[in-house]
Amino acid sequence: MDAKDGASDLTSSTKKKSRRPKYSQFTQQELPACKPILTPAWVILIFVAIGIVFLPIGFASLFASEHVVEIVNHYDRDCVPPNYVDNKLAYIQSSKTNKTCIRRVTIPKQMKSPVYIYYQLDHFYQNHRRYVKSRSDGQLRSKSNEKKTDTCAPERYTANGAIVPCGLVAWSLFNDTYKFSVNNKQLGVSKKDITWKSDPKKKFGSDVYPKNFQSGGLIGGAKLNSSIPLSEQEDLMVWMRTSTLPTFRKLYGKIEADLEADDIVTVTIENNYNTYIFGGNKKLVLSTASWIGGKNCLLGIAYLTVGGLCLFLAISFLLLYLFKPRPLGDTSYLSWNRSAPGGHIY
Amino acid sequence: MRGGGRRRKLHFSKIYSFTCGKSSMRDEHSQIGGPGYSRVVYCNEPDSFEAHMRNYGDNYVRSTKYTVATFLPKSLFEQFRRVANFYFLVTGTLAFTPLAPFTAVSAIIPLIIVIGATMVKEGIEDWRRKQQDIEVNNRKVNVHYGNGVFDYTAWRNLRVGDIVRVEKDEFFPTDLLLLSSSYDDAICYVETMNLDGETNLKLKQALEVTSFLQEDSKFNDFNAIVKCEDPNANLYSFVGTMEFDKQQFPLSPQQLLLRDSKLRNTDYIYGAVIFTGPDTKVIQNSTAPPSKRSRVEKKMDKIIYFLFCVLFTMAFVGSIYFGIATKDDLNNGIMKRWYLRPDNSRIFFDAKRAPYAAIYHFLTALMLYGYFIPISLYVSIEIVKVLQSIFINQDIHMYYEESDKPAHARTSNLNEELGQVDTILSDKTGTLTCNSMEFIKCSVAGTAYGRGYTEVERAMGRRNGSPLVHQHLSGGDNLKDSTDGKAPIKGFNFKDERVMNGNWVNEPNAEYIQKFFSLLAICHTAIPEVDEATGNISYEAESPDEAAFVIAARELGFEFYKRTQTTISLRELDPVSGKKVERTYSLLNVLEFNSTRKRMSVIVRSEGGKILLLSKGADNVMLERLARNGSDFEEETMEHLNEYADAGLRTLILAYRELDEDEYKEFNQNFIKAKNSVSAERETVIDEVTEKIEKDLILLGATAVEDKLQNGVPDCIDKLAQAGIKIWVLTGDKMETAINIGFACSLLRQGMKQIVITLESPEIKVLEKEGEKEAIATASKGSVLNQINRGKAQLTASSRNPEAFALIIDGKSLAYALEDDVKNLFLNLAIGCASVICCRSSPKQKALVTRLVKSGTGKTTLAIGDGANDVGMLQEADIGVGISGVEGMQAVMSSDIAIAQFQYLERLLLVHGHWCYRRISSMICYFFYKNIAFGFTLFLYEAHTSFSGTPAYNDWFLSLYNVFFSSLPVVAMGVFDQDVSARFCFKFPLLYQEGVQNILFSWRRIFGWMLNGFTTAAIIFFFCTKALAHQAFNSEGKTAGRDILGATMYTCTVWVVNLQMALAISYFTLIQHLFIWGSIALWYIFLLAYGAMSPSLSTTAYKIFIEALAPTPSFWLITIFVPVSGLILFFTYSAVQMRFFPMYHRTIQWIRYEGTSNDPKLCDMVRQRSLRPQTVGFTARLAARANRIKDRHHNRR
């Protein structure tokens, strides 16, 4: 009836464009959609599927991890001469003490070439913010950025000019060295390819040579041969990729020969690096690698656990659905039914 | 001359008794020229020197928030008033200091994007307002250019002093001083609906001295000086004088035409501009709309504060640890962690000043953990809400064809509030009803005529299950119209062959019928308009019921076709000759209707020379004026009256009496004297005079007019009641009408106990006559209190068996019930009742009731109304919904959402409200989840760096997390997610309770999601760091550094949060798929692209994916394992919940999935089992009836 109210409006508005919304599935929110819900079948199916996929992966990675032969030698304590045991600091900080230390390592199982040599440090906060930031990527990359040391404090320059490479990271470069021999036969340590390829290519310049390095008041870690460009200083490049956690391993080199079981490897260690002061440990690690990397059974066990758990859940759900079905449309758990049993809210 | 030549001879001021009073110099006129009364207007001389000196503003009206100059500072200020944004500004600024754990640019860019997006949105909204302003300001008006020439100009160009000519049905562009009109006595009718919501027309009259200015040319040399009050907001006062022809004339509100009111029933007027633009009364009256925020958002603020607390605690703990560790580094000159060079450090790491370092670390940590607070949350919510309102605007089911009006969400920040409405406060006229009156029944001389069915009767029929219902349900409306064979006539829905088509002459009481309808044709103030071409007559009346009467008279053969100053002419059927004859009655006096008199009378002299007093009015005033022996059929008439009232009709009683010559003469003398008196009590004097003549009336009968309910109102109310929403009706109408409408919309039903609180008791009336104000007040208050307490007692007495109560309270009582010491009692009572109806309530009271409900119950209130009298209520309520069906736009302008019909409320709340609530609340929960899942990994990592503030990820990974890799799916969820489709929302209205009870945004759920975030983060961190521990990472024996761990952990996080989203939603359109899988894909693409940039840009991410991650199996194994294990908990939880403790929407989803949604038995079970006993609506009526029958069966056994 009230149409005629606006009879005059109506005629004028028909001349105008109608404001009627255009119909489309999109604007009317009627787009075709798939609306999955967690039916028992789906739940069980998904659990079973996860279980079926995870268990083999778990076995495979556990197998791979088990296949890796890893020898860890904790040498920092044992390499301190007996008379310095109570004063390790004096031993390590003195330049006069003999730092050479010989360790013997028995190979438990055959280790196929290449055998990777790692040093492992504990309680070394290579991820400390001050440490992480104290470097100059620009300077490492190209000679023209030699003066770019503003991020490197406190290892920026000496009286002779800017330090290359500057910053705490480079300054604290690890300087223990290892030599290996089996049956008095020297084993070669290859430093080839121990860095990620992009490091020598893009991040460390081939025209950048160490300069004024370790010539300040305090000597940190290793010295660098100033005639070799940074792009060929593998140890530095490995060291400069800062570690994730305070316990870390870094690749020292590779032994490109098989080590047989029961071989005794003699390691001659130059024990220079000061971890004693902050209570860190130094370990020498010899390890092979499989497709999954080094020895770490966590992934395998985790896969097996979760896979197993899923199968277990699948079975429990199956039993639950079978023995304790719930009538469809039971609404007794709805909050308003729970909170107001009489339902008389008004 | 335009069309109105005939009309111009009318002098209505002579026949009207009250409204056309002469203005006189009163006290306040002496203040003119003094402070507050300093305005001087040079009419017709806007260019004169003096006018320029005054320099009044132009007529430009601005509703925009910003101007070009103020936009930047003002909107920036608005942005940073939000705590979270301010926090980001602070951390963003700090990022430029060495404190920052990451680069400044990466920290500030997301902030800029987020703030920029919000500002753009603000700008666009303001631009729209600007467009509206431009439209209004450029409307055209006829203005005097000089030399008697008028031409059109834009509204904004009007200056104070301009003379304008306004045509019929045009709005007044400014506040005008009425100079003259198309009527000789310079009156005009004004519709002020936009100002005060009153639908009846107001009469305005110019000064006599200017009434001659009826032609353009006469303004050639007209000028006058008006001195008046300064601009103010009082709509009903105006004090001024006009100096014309060297004489002073007083001005009153009677001469002032207000901007935004409309000229009606008058061909044109001339007026002088007095107030322009911001000075006009209506603009002065407009208050800035209150800015409303939804409950969900307010709660969200609390969550953000909570997260701030968590953040500060974490930062504090970290700082303490960091301080200790830093101090420990240097001990008596011995450096512990020598590689950090603690001996040579800036203050941030200085072991010697460790406390300071700790404090600085605190700031760093605040920056780093900033990822706990989702930076993009606000902007995402804004975007989502705008898109949601577009969906509301575009909903074709809320588009009203007849007025061409779609729904319009005027503010987008209340969408989710629509899903939480607990109480609806509704206006009646124009909202529940369409404010169109239909003459439907009448009772003449004790016989009831009229066979039409009213909406109420239909609703009642529906309740009783009579065949009437089925007829109605199967399209009864169409049926009714088609059987007529005639086009329906607006305002007329009367069918009775006994009186139609002239058959009334054969009725036994034909004489009465003749008198009855001629009274309807004579006793009114309508003006006929004859369409020259067709000869059809239409009427312009002050109110729709008056029009309905004249139309009814016309349809029954008493055609009122001509009104002159002193006569009213009818064409009527002569029962003797059976021919149409023209009869002219000379009009002697009109005693108008007003709300105190509640009646209207005319005195006419018939062609036979008899003087007749014809009177119509409300039953209570008319009955006491009937002659003792003049009403043989009073009883029958009263019975019919009650029936009509029951059926929800508006009733009037018609009566008449013959006056003898002397009596009339005496009356006329007194009347003229009274009219011409200028004392303050003029109206009382007139009242007394008229009182004396309107007595000893002879009853003719009663009329019944239907105040039509809008389409679908009962159904809508029923659905809303099923959804558990309470509905209050606040109306200005009288109690009877309100109760009628209550029955019509099923808010009331038989068997519902009505608690009526009223002050219409005899004792109070007696007091009122004595007129002692204080005594009245105390007695009234006592009475109201008493009634409330009695009601409460009734309520508690029956609390055992859920009996439905209805509370009905009138305006007078409401005034006392809303006083501070009573209002809580009142509210308590009202909450206990199923329906509440407040009648005779003023706009202010409406707003007060709304406030009471809002603050008293703490629940969400929605007010719906159409008129300016609802504005207060709309602004006060949590959500104001305006009905945009009628012309008045005031309510719409102050509403948050405008819809064209009440029935659309159902869809607006049950579908859009529910969806929006669900979307926004899930979206916020999810936002917090994803940010905690991300932020907590940062914290865990930092804890492993001795809390030195090292971020786990590359700077750009950090800053883009919220922008690219996790926010799009959330936005998609916020815009598109649906738990169940609209059809099921309607089918299971109780689903709406999820919002009312705030189940989806309860603290439990919020903390649940947060906990989920923490667990996820812990799982991600634990597995990633353990799997990427010190051993070799790949088969080449290389170990994983910070770069690799960061990228891996990040990959896992992206997977987990996106898969979590996929698990949490149950509605996948192409868009969801695109955004969820796209976000994950985008991360890999970004990793590739970013890694391919030169290392100076990509730093640690250089070639990380190609060189390190992609070729390595363990990376892939981790990224498969971690997301699965991170989600398995949630998955198990939702599987168990789905099966054993499903939420209501899950149950419905299940039913839909099983395809049993069409099984009525099952659906009914789900609905019934989950239903609280419903108390309102026709479903409740049916249920109540079924119960009664059951009880009866029981008793019989």
Side-chain angles (χ1 to χ4, degrees), chain B residues 951-1135:
Chain B
Y953 312 113
N954 183 294
D955 296 352
W956 286 99
F957 293 2
L958 281 173
S959 51
L960 296 182
Y961 175 76
N962 274 327
V963 184
F964 286 137
F965 309 124
S966 63
S967 58
L968 283 181
V970 204
V971 170
M973 171 165 86
V975 180
F976 303 108
D977 192 34
Q978 300 178 3
D979 48 354
V980 297
S981 64
R983 195 163 66 89
F984 286 93
C985 287
F986 285 131
K987 198 162 183 175
F988 300 97
L990 206 66
L991 188 55
Y992 190 76
Q993 281 293 321
E994 285 194 348
V996 179
Q997 306 196 0
N998 210 357
I999 287 169
L1000 300 180
F1001 206 56
S1002 58
W1003 284 111
R1004 214 178 106 165
R1005 196 175 152 90
I1006 294 165
F1007 285 127
W1009 272 102
M1010 287 187 177
L1011 191 71
N1012 190 9
F1014 282 115
T1015 340
T1016 308
I1019 288 174
I1020 293 173
F1021 182 79
F1022 176 79
F1023 281 114
C1024 285
T1025 49
K1026 290 297 168 206
L1028 292 179
H1030 40 66
Q1031 93 285 1
F1033 167 63
N1034 62 8
S1035 55
E1036 285 165 23
K1038 297 193 174 75
T1039 52
R1042 232 163 52 81
D1043 42 358
I1044 290 173
L1045 177 83
T1048 311
M1049 230 154 80
Y1050 199 94
T1051 311
C1052 292
T1053 313
V1054 168
W1055 269 102
V1056 171
V1057 297
N1058 283 300
L1059 283 181
Q1060 171 73 67
M1061 163 68 68
L1063 263 188
I1065 63 174
S1066 49
Y1067 184 77
F1068 286 92
T1069 63
L1070 209 62
I1071 300 161
Q1072 263 86 11
H1073 283 300
L1074 187 73
F1075 281 179
I1076 291 176
W1077 314 124
S1079 289
I1080 297 173
L1082 189 67
W1083 157 244
Y1084 286 103
I1085 293 168
F1086 170 79
L1087 201 54
L1088 273 173
Y1090 186 48
M1093 289 178 196
S1094 92
S1096 56
L1097 289 172
S1098 55
T1099 59
T1100 56
Y1102 179 68
K1103 292 224 167 145
I1104 183 104
F1105 188 65
I1106 299 187
E1107 189 180 68
L1109 302 180
T1112 310
S1114 52
F1115 166 74
W1116 296 106
L1117 285 187
I1118 292 170
T1119 54
I1120 293 171
F1121 174 76
V1122 172
V1124 170
S1125 59
L1127 292 173
I1128 230 161
L1129 253 169
F1130 179 82
F1131 182 76
T1132 314
Y1133 167 77
S1134 28

Side-chain angles (χ1 to χ4, degrees), chain B residues 56 62 111 140 375 615 720:
Chain B
Y56 295 125
R62 186 188 306 282
L111 182 70
K140 294 287 187 237
I375 191 170
S615 198
L720 294 177

Side-chain angles (χ1 to χ4, degrees), chain B residues 278 410-411 433 574:
Chain B
R410 300 184 66 250
T411 48
T433 62
D574 186 63

Side-chain angles (χ1 to χ4, degrees), chain A residues 226-241:
Chain A
S226 56
S227 59
I228 301 175
L230 293 190
S231 62
E232 288 165 29
Q233 306 267 12
E234 274 91 359
D235 287 327
L236 178 75
M237 286 188 275
V238 170
W239 181 254
M240 293 290 276
R241 285 231 176 187

Side-chain angles (χ1 to χ4, degrees), chain B residues 1155-1168:
Chain B
T1156 45
S1157 64
N1158 290 325
D1159 178 355
K1161 240 172 112 186
L1162 182 68
C1163 286
D1164 215 41
M1165 188 179 78
V1166 171
R1167 225 180 293 153
Q1168 288 303 327

Side-chain angles (χ1 to χ4, degrees), chain A residues 180-249:
Chain A
F180 300 88
S181 56
V182 176
N183 304 332
N184 294 327
K185 220 174 81 191
Q186 194 81 5
L187 285 173
V189 174
S190 158
K191 299 258 179 188
K192 207 172 159 259
D193 285 341
I194 60 170
T195 62
W196 295 100
K197 286 210 180 60
S198 58
D199 281 356
K201 257 194 192 156
K202 288 281 184 175
K203 291 190 176 170
F204 293 83
S206 53
D207 56 346
V208 186
Y209 292 88
K211 233 188 218 175
N212 304 322
F213 191 67
Q214 301 291 23
S215 59
L218 257 165
I219 307 296
K223 302 202 169 164
L224 292 175
N225 186 342
S226 56
S227 59
I228 301 175
L230 293 190
S231 62
E232 288 165 29
Q233 306 267 12
E234 274 91 359
D235 287 327
L236 178 75
M237 286 188 275
V238 170
W239 181 254
M240 293 290 276
R241 285 231 176 187
T242 49
S243 75
T244 312
L245 295 174
T247 300
F248 60 90
R249 286 178 192 173

